[in-house]
Amino acid sequence: MILLIGGTSETASLAQALASAGFSVVVSTATDLPLEIGNHPNISRTSGALDSQGIKRLAYGLHAGIIVDASHPYATAVKANAKKAAAALGIPYVQWTRPLSPNYEDWIIIRETHELAAKTACAFGRPVLVTTGAKNLAPYAAEAQRTGIHLVVRVLPYSNSLEACRKAGIEQKSVIIGRGPFSFEENVK
């Protein structure tokens, strides 16, 4: 049994490939938004946000022999929780990493915190598109307000996402509601 932590557009192809290879796969997602997981009879799904203990209980209950992490690239807490759960159970943890976009060296700057990322993004004096999710909006909104930079955010179509935007002071006209995957070209325009 494989516990596949899903959340990216590649979740379905990973689950399908694993199931086609003869494995039973349970895809776990934080939200219950529709997500293609493949149509193989050896694939099932569970949803709900889980901490490390929750992932551990789920993996233990499933008799999972491995945790495969295909969560969103910005889901750092999920990744840490899945690693911790796998270590506690003594089973392997494998992280799938999405291939980088073309010429990523020209535009990716890695920062350790959202606060530092917000300062860096706003330092260029150009509009900023935030795609990190609703949980991390506050530092970007604060820095954009401080510097007068136009901020646009893209969030999932949930009421709590829109509430997070409102609480951060982000005007509705600067909110894009959508669910990826989004192409490189869509992110640039």
Side-chain angles (χ1 to χ4, degrees):
M1 173 64 70
I2 296 174
L3 174 56
L4 174 60
I5 309 294
T8 60
S9 59
E10 297 83 9
T11 298
S13 58
L14 287 170
Q16 191 73 32
L18 292 167
S20 294
F23 297 100
S24 293
V25 180
V26 173
V27 177
S28 175
T29 59
T31 68
D32 60 357
L33 275 176
L35 174 71
E36 177 60 37
I37 62 167
N39 57 2
H40 195 283
N42 287 348
I43 302 172
S44 59
R45 180 179 180 190
T46 184
S47 61
L50 300 171
D51 60 11
S52 64
Q53 286 299 311
I55 295 172
K56 179 181 167 187
R57 280 191 296 276
L58 178 60
Y60 181 81
L62 294 170
H63 303 287
I66 187 170
I67 296 175
V68 177
D69 183 355
S71 61
H72 192 276
Y74 298 128
T76 55
V78 172
K79 293 178 185 326
N81 288 336
K83 283 180 192 175
K84 187 175 178 181
L89 292 169
I91 61 175
Y93 166 87
V94 177
Q95 181 178 328
W96 180 86
T97 304
R98 178 180 286 165
L100 294 171
S101 297
N103 304 318
Y104 72 92
E105 298 95 348
D106 295 338
W107 53 270
I108 290 181
I109 301 171
I110 297 173
R111 293 294 180 253
E112 294 75 24
T113 67
H114 287 284
E115 289 76 15
L116 289 173
K119 287 180 191 268
T120 302
C122 291
F124 290 97
R126 309 233 7 220
V128 173
L129 169 63
V130 176
T131 62
T132 59
K135 292 180 186 174
N136 302 303
L137 293 177
Y140 297 95
E143 188 64 18
Q145 270 185 331
R146 188 185 75 73
T147 59
I149 297 297
H150 179 68
L151 182 73
V152 176
V153 301
R154 185 171 60 212
V155 297
L156 290 172
Y158 279 130
S159 59
N160 61 341
S161 295
L162 298 175
E163 179 63 18
C165 293
R166 189 192 62 71
K167 283 185 178 177
I170 300 166
E171 296 180 18
Q172 189 173 0
K173 67 181 181 181
S174 296
V175 177
I176 300 169
I177 299 169
R179 176 163 180 79
F182 298 96
S183 70
F184 177 78
E185 291 75 20
E186 287 172 306
N187 285 328
V188 170
K189 60 176 169 167

